[in-house]
């Protein structure tokens, strides 16, 4: 009898879902039908063992749990076939609530794009958005609903391996890129079959792990938190990111996963975020070794109280949350709120109407080999390559008779993709190595010579003599070095970020032949290569550029693309300078220059300045900047100040320049950084052409957090800087008056 009523109830509720109810009403009707255990089930997420031998999950128990409604989501299950199989099991559960499938679509899916840090170097928001759009389209066609991206952690420490997943050190640039990526992933909106739910992560301050050691504690002032680390999260929330992921780290003594200030007060409170928060992998359980929770029961209590809605893989919620409610420790309202947030996203995705909406073989097949996506990837890769040095205009190269291609990366295949990329057995033929790209470009009239020289992390010099002999026969040498593809990424912190092994020795040996040398550096982070930077005439930073890496590299080497990228992170001279970033605070004893060492704030053995500053990147052409013209010497809140410069292409090539605007608030109630990026514009100029670039500044652009954490501007004197990077700028002054 009871059973009949239940079925009737479910039918009524689901039927009425079809009528004109708001999503919130639909969510409420489903929630009403759910038992406490089913609610907790929605808050539970498991890994799918997609790389295990079984077709979906080797763990039969997980399938049973899906059948019992004890699971709301899975990660790492992908492909139309696999996701369909699991969704079919979910449809055998009492309430038939569809599963959400999540995956780390960090820089592409079938088509691998440059690592996010490399893309950030493009400063091209449209291209970055398109990259996320394509990744979403491909992944959504393979049954994925949700990406654990964008990672919007600000990073000032290149030892931290995860710098490759983000947009670098600057909160302004980082916020714009966060928005572009959320918009890209979510496309025209959830519910479209090519939209993935975005997930801003890792909330919050994960990038400031002490010593750059992954998962480490974070300790920072609230001013730094609000001013530097939170803005990209705010931007992602404002852009409508469907979900957030909290983080592994403690922040000022409280694990982010159990941090009510971050999750309830700021994100769900002040920012009015309506999506749901997923934990990071086992981060609920990891509050035990942190020393914040006694056991998983306690950890669940802390996590739900703090606002964590879904538990990734720790099984803390599924094993404890119902009991916590029954014990009166957790108010049912907290559970209901979390479940509503999760169900709401499932409704918005359209999964209640059609749980198999993302399981379309044809769509998957089409996206599997989409040549337009590959073209967009190549273009993104070109925009990501940073020209660090080009003495005597060695680049672009002529198609000379003999070109030597040397180094452990020049024929690399998998090495072009970097961490968080997916490869398939058939995939290697699609990946264009530097060797292949150059070969395709130069044609058969050019004789390409090859020597590996050494391995990535070699101690042996055995390959040097062959490499030297090869270089000697060539007109020009292209030398491709760097760090291994899996040396940056999660849990890939390094205390030593110099070029690994004997690679810099190889560069010296090849340089000693007297041949012109171009060095290309593959990496997921800023590396240290001082000797190379001081001696070798031409250097390209080629990161991990993705599927069409070699084609993009060849276009740049031979001048079919004029480099336009700018560094999104400062490059240190030595690990001893880290953390290093352009927007630092002045001291009471600032050093006047790199050689001012006595009783000033400096190192006695190293300049303060980075090897390459934030925002730096050359072009094959040159740009000159006029002095800054201000519309007024002072302005008031409510008014707009305009600042303009004339930028002229003074070189021999057409090119793209990223004109950067920085300000400095000279005296504040709390001290202000020596420079803060406040705007940038990309301008494409034909050789000889010029353009007036105008920035509009209002008092709102000059706001900061005071010592009461109030966000406001203060009247006073300011400097304004406009230039080609954070160091080489024109300067002017203005005042903000009341
Ligand atoms: C742990 C990582 O920190 C996070 O970024 C990722 O999304 C999850 N694992 C799932 O793979």
């Amino acid at each position: 009898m009871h059973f009949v009523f239940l079925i009737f109830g479910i039918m009524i509720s689901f039927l009425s879902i079809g009528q004109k109810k708001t999503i919130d009403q639909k969510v409420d009707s489903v929630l009403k039908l759910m038992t406490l255990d089913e609610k907790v089930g929605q808050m539970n997420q498991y890994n799918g063992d997609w790389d295990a031998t079984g077709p979906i999950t080797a763990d039969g128990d997980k399938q049973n749990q899906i059948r019992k409604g004890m699971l709301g989501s899975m990660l790492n299950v992908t492909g139309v076939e696999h996701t369909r199989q699991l969704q079919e099991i979910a449809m055998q559960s009492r309430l038939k609530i569809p599963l959400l499938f999540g995956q780390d679509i960090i820089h592409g899916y079938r088509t691998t794009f440059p690592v996010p840090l490399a893309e950030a170097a493009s400063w091209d928001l449209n291209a970055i958005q398109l990259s996320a759009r394509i990744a979403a389209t491909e992944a959504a066609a393979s049954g994925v609903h949700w990406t654990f991206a964008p990672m919007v952690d600000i990073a000032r420490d290149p030892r931290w391996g995860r710098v490759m997943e983000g947009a670098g050190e600057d909160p302004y640039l980082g916020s714009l890129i966060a928005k572009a990526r959320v918009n890209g992933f979510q496309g025209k909106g959830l519910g479209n079959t090519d939209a993935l739910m975005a997930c801003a992560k890792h909330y919050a301050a994960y990038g400031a792990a002490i010593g750059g050691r992954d998962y480490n504690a974070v300790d920072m002032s609230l001013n730094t938190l609000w001013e530097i680390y939170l803005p990209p999260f705010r931007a992602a929330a404002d852009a409508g990111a469907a979900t957030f992921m909290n983080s592994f780290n403690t922040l000022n003594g409280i694990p982010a996963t159990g941090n009510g200030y971050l999750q309830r007060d700021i994100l769900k409170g002040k920012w009015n975020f309506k999506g749901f928060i997923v934990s990071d992998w086992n981060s609920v359980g990891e509050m035990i070794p942190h020393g914040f929770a006694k056991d998983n029961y306690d950890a669940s209590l802390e996590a739900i109280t703090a606002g964590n809605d879904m538990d990734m893989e720790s099984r803390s919620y599924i094993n404890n949350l119902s009991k916590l409610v029954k014990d009166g420790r957790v108010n049912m309202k907290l559970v209901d709120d979390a479940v509503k947030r999760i169900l709401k996203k499932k409704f918005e995705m359209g999964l209640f109407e059609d749980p198999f909406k993302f399981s379309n073989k044809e769509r998957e097949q089409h996206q599997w080999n989409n040549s337009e996506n590959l073209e967009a990837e190549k273009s993104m890769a070109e925009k990501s390559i940073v020209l660090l040095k080009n003495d005597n205009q060695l680049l672009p190269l002529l198609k000379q008779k003999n070109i030597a291609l040397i180094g452990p990366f020049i024929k690399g295949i998998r090495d072009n993709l970097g961490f968080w990329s997916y490869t398939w057995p058939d995939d290697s033929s699609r990946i264009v190595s530097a060797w292949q790209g150059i070969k395709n470009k130069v044609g058969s009239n050019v004789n390409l010579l090859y020597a590996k020289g050494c391995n990535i992390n070699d101690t042996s010099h055995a390959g040097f003599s062959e490499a030297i002999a090869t270089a000697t026969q060539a007109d020009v040498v292209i030398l491709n070095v760097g760090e291994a593809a899996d040396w940056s990424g999660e849990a890939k912190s390094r205390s030593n970020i110099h070029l690994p092994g004997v690679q810099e020795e190889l560069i010296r040996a090849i340089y000693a032949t007297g041949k012109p040398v171009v060095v290309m550096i593959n990496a997921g982070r800023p590396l240290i290569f001082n000797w190379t930077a001081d001696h070798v005439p031409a250097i390209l930073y080629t990161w991990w550029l993705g599927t069409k890496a070699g084609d993009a590299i060849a276009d740049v080497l031979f001048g079919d693309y004029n480099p336009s990228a700018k560094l999104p992170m400062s490059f240190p001279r030595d690990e001893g300078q880290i953390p290093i970033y352009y927007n630092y605070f002045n001291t009471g004893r600032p050093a006047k220059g790199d050689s001012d060492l006595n009783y000033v704030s400096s190192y006695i053995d190293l300049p303060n300045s980075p090897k390459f500053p934030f925002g730096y990147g050359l072009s094959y052409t040159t740009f000159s900047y006029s002095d800054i013209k201000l519309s007024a010497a002072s302005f008031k809140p409510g008014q707009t100040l305009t600042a303009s410069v004339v930028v002229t292409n003074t070189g021999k090539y057409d090119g793209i320049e990223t004109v950067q605007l920085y300000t400095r608030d000279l005296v504040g109630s709390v001290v202000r950084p020596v420079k803060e990026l406040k705007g940038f514009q990309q301008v494409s100029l034909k050789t000889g052409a010029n353009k007036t670039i105008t920035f509009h500044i209002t008092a709102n652009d000059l706001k900061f957090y005071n010592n009461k954490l109030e966000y406001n501007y203060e009247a006073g004197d300011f400097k304004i800087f406009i230039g080609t990077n954070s160091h080489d700028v024109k300067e002017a002054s203005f005042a903000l008056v009341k």
Side-chain angles (χ1 to χ4, degrees):
M1 189 60 182
H2 185 79
F3 180 72
V4 171
F5 277 129
L6 176 72
I7 295 294
F8 188 65
I10 294 173
M11 279 173 59
I12 295 289
S13 295
F14 276 67
L15 278 177
S16 49
I17 285 165
Q19 292 161 13
K20 281 213 164 47
K21 275 185 164 187
T22 65
I23 284 193
D24 285 331
Q25 288 167 331
K26 294 176 188 180
V27 166
D28 284 339
S29 4
V30 177
L31 192 77
K32 268 193 216 135
L33 304 172
M34 297 173 79
T35 63
L36 173 57
D37 286 345
E38 282 166 337
K39 290 178 183 174
V40 172
Q42 285 304 303
M43 300 166 71
N44 184 29
Q45 184 191 52
Y46 289 155
N47 188 37
D49 310 334
W50 72 299
D51 52 356
T53 42
I56 35 178
T57 158
D59 181 348
D61 182 47
K62 286 184 188 167
Q63 299 182 20
N64 284 335
Q65 292 196 36
I66 297 172
R67 244 173 238 116
K68 288 190 205 149
M70 289 167 69
L71 210 60
S73 171
M74 296 201 81
L75 74 151
N76 291 334
V77 180
T78 181
V80 160
E81 206 186 313
H82 292 169
T83 50
R84 176 180 279 279
Q85 284 170 332
L86 279 181
Q87 201 67 290
E88 272 165 4
I89 300 179
M91 291 305 109
Q92 294 162 23
S93 67
R94 192 182 75 99
L95 292 178
K96 305 190 189 327
I97 299 178
L99 287 169
L100 274 178
F101 298 112
Q103 189 162 10
D104 292 283
I105 311 298
I106 307 296
H107 54 115
Y109 179 70
R110 168 68 169 164
T111 307
T112 302
F113 278 78
V115 294
L117 186 65
E119 289 193 350
S122 73
W123 295 49
D124 185 332
L125 302 172
N126 291 333
I128 291 171
Q129 181 162 336
L130 178 65
S131 157
R133 184 84 291 278
I134 290 171
T137 306
E138 290 184 357
S142 274
V144 179
H145 305 136
W146 178 19
T147 173
F148 303 125
M151 186 193 101
V152 304
D153 295 313
I154 293 297
R156 294 170 152 185
D157 189 332
R159 292 171 299 181
W160 190 50
R162 303 199 79 169
V163 301
M164 60 137 292
E165 296 174 49
E169 74 186 42
D170 185 68
Y172 177 82
L173 179 63
S175 298
L176 292 175
I177 291 179
K179 179 178 169 194
R181 289 195 165 129
V182 169
N183 286 338
F185 287 131
Q186 297 190 166
K188 295 213 174 77
L190 306 187
N192 290 295
T193 47
D194 62 358
L196 289 186
M197 296 200 304
C199 180
K201 73 185 188 186
H202 307 82
Y203 188 68
Y206 181 43
I210 294 171
R213 178 155 54 77
D214 208 4
Y215 315 124
N216 205 1
V218 172
D219 213 275
M220 68 169 60
S221 74
L222 290 182
N223 281 68
T224 301
L225 176 71
W226 277 91
E227 200 152 304
I228 305 294
Y229 288 85
L230 289 185
F233 286 103
R234 178 69 199 255
D238 287 350
T243 69
F244 266 52
M245 183 186 290
N246 54 41
S247 53
F248 290 122
N249 56 287
T250 54
L251 174 64
N252 302 337
I254 314 277
T257 305
N259 198 314
Y261 174 62
L262 287 174
Q263 297 175 103
R264 288 229 184 264
D265 299 355
I266 300 175
L267 182 57
K268 291 179 175 174
K270 208 171 162 53
W271 296 352
N272 200 21
F273 172 69
K274 297 290 182 215
F276 69 86
I277 304 176
V278 63
S279 77
D280 204 342
W281 183 292
N282 191 36
S283 67
V284 176
E286 288 176 21
M287 290 197 285
I288 304 167
H290 273 306
F292 191 70
K294 204 163 60 198
D295 49 27
N296 289 92
Y297 178 86
D298 202 15
S300 300
L301 172 63
E302 295 291 355
I304 177 91
T305 307
N308 178 82
D309 300 307
M310 186 180 276
D311 173 7
M312 181 191 286
E313 266 293 333
S314 92
R315 303 187 182 220
S316 301
Y317 278 9
I318 197 70
N319 293 331
N320 297 286
L321 209 42
S322 295
K323 184 162 173 8
L324 278 161
V325 174
K326 286 176 198 148
D327 292 348
R329 305 289 305 280
V330 168
N331 191 320
M332 188 68 158
K333 279 194 187 142
L334 291 188
V335 173
D336 282 349
D337 177 61
V339 175
K340 279 192 203 176
R341 287 169 181 270
I342 295 164
L343 293 180
K344 189 167 181 182
K345 292 302 156 201
K346 294 186 176 183
F347 271 109
E348 286 174 4
M349 292 292 284
L351 293 173
F352 275 97
E353 279 157 34
D354 178 4
F356 303 103
K357 190 171 166 179
F358 293 81
S359 310
N360 179 318
K361 261 272 163 235
E362 230 172 87
R363 219 161 40 222
E364 180 174 55
Q365 213 48 51
H366 174 66
Q367 290 304 332
W368 207 240
N369 274 311
N370 186 330
S371 54
E372 274 175 35
N373 296 356
L374 285 170
E375 272 313 300
E377 198 288 307
K378 185 180 100 165
S379 166
M380 185 77 251
E382 289 170 349
K383 291 174 180 190
S384 306
I385 297 172
V386 189
L387 178 64
L388 292 179
K389 197 173 171 194
N390 195 21
D391 283 357
N392 305 321
Q393 304 242 297
L394 175 55
L395 290 172
L397 295 176
L398 300 169
K399 292 180 184 157
Q400 300 168 67
K401 231 139 187 46
N402 295 299
I403 302 180
L405 300 182
I406 299 178
F409 289 89
I410 204 86
K411 287 196 172 178
I413 303 285
R414 175 68 180 80
D415 276 334
N416 288 305
L417 304 186
F419 206 81
W420 293 123
S421 50
Y422 301 95
T423 43
W424 287 267
D426 70 330
D427 208 45
S428 54
S429 61
R430 303 170 82 233
I431 303 169
V432 185
S433 65
W435 167 266
Q436 192 59 48
I438 293 167
K439 197 165 167 215
N440 296 345
K441 173 71 65 185
V442 296
S444 53
N445 290 339
V446 175
N447 187 21
L448 289 184
L449 310 164
Y450 167 73
K452 189 171 182 189
C454 63
N455 293 313
I456 297 170
N457 199 21
D458 237 342
T459 48
S460 160
H461 302 88
F464 277 34
S465 51
E466 187 203 0
I468 293 165
T470 307
T472 313
Q473 295 165 45
D475 303 307
V476 63
V477 182
I478 300 169
L479 193 42
N480 198 180
V481 296
E483 65 172 3
D486 57 358
W487 282 21
S488 49
E490 186 181 347
K492 300 295 181 287
S493 296
R494 290 176 60 205
S495 64
N496 173 350
I497 56 167
H498 281 67
L499 266 180
V502 294
Q503 293 184 86
E504 200 152 47
E505 286 180 57
L506 177 69
I507 299 171
R508 282 173 186 247
I510 301 297
Y511 177 80
T513 63
K515 296 290 178 180
V517 179
V518 179
V519 164
M520 306 196 299
I521 302 176
N522 287 24
R525 56 152 68 80
L527 291 180
I528 298 169
F529 43 91
N530 293 324
W531 189 92
T532 304
D534 293 341
H535 294 85
V536 168
I539 305 173
L540 290 167
Y541 216 70
T542 40
W543 313 100
W544 306 115
L545 288 175
T547 314
K548 301 276 272 180
D551 287 338
I553 283 169
D555 278 357
V556 166
L557 283 171
F558 295 96
D560 292 325
Y561 186 85
N562 183 357
S564 55
K566 304 274 189 178
L567 297 176
M569 282 186 84
S570 307
F571 273 44
R573 296 170 190 272
D574 194 84
E575 290 86 359
Q577 291 181 310
I578 298 171
I580 186 164
Y581 44 94
Y582 82 94
N583 47 355
Y584 58 87
F585 296 128
N586 220 1
T587 65
R589 293 187 176 196
K592 285 192 201 69
D594 279 349
S595 53
D596 184 13
L597 302 179
N598 231 349
Y599 293 99
V600 292
S601 179
S602 67
Y603 302 100
I604 58 170
D605 57 353
L606 204 67
N608 284 352
S609 63
K611 192 74 188 166
F612 298 104
F614 173 80
Y616 174 87
L618 302 175
S619 162
Y620 293 153
T621 195
T622 44
F623 298 101
S624 76
Y625 281 67
S626 72
D627 286 338
I628 300 173
K629 215 164 115 195
L630 292 178
S631 59
S634 64
F635 77 113
K636 289 182 182 166
Q639 296 179 333
T640 299
L641 179 77
T642 61
S644 31
V645 288
V646 181
V647 179
T648 308
N649 182 341
T650 49
K652 289 194 301 214
Y653 299 87
D654 300 346
I656 297 169
E657 170 70 328
T658 302
V659 183
Q660 301 163 38
L661 166 82
Y662 300 85
T663 59
R664 177 172 180 189
D665 188 339
L666 293 182
V667 179
S669 61
V670 298
V671 297
R672 308 299 308 137
V674 295
K675 277 187 190 119
E676 295 177 82
L677 183 70
K678 296 288 182 180
F680 63 88
Q681 290 181 39
Q682 288 194 316
V683 54
S684 176
L685 287 175
K686 297 244 176 258
T687 170
N690 66 53
K691 190 168 180 204
T692 302
I693 305 292
T694 302
F695 291 97
H696 301 275
I697 299 149
T698 69
N700 285 341
D701 298 318
L702 306 173
K703 284 182 172 177
F704 62 93
Y705 292 91
N706 66 17
N707 64 355
K708 295 190 192 105
L709 288 183
E710 295 156 345
Y711 190 58
N712 216 339
Y713 43 76
E714 292 176 2
D717 292 332
F718 290 79
K719 274 192 176 163
I720 180 167
F721 312 91
I722 302 180
T724 186
N725 61 59
S726 63
H727 182 260
D728 300 308
V729 287
K730 296 284 182 178
E731 192 178 315
S733 301
F734 69 87
L736 177 68
V737 291
K738 282 208 187 123

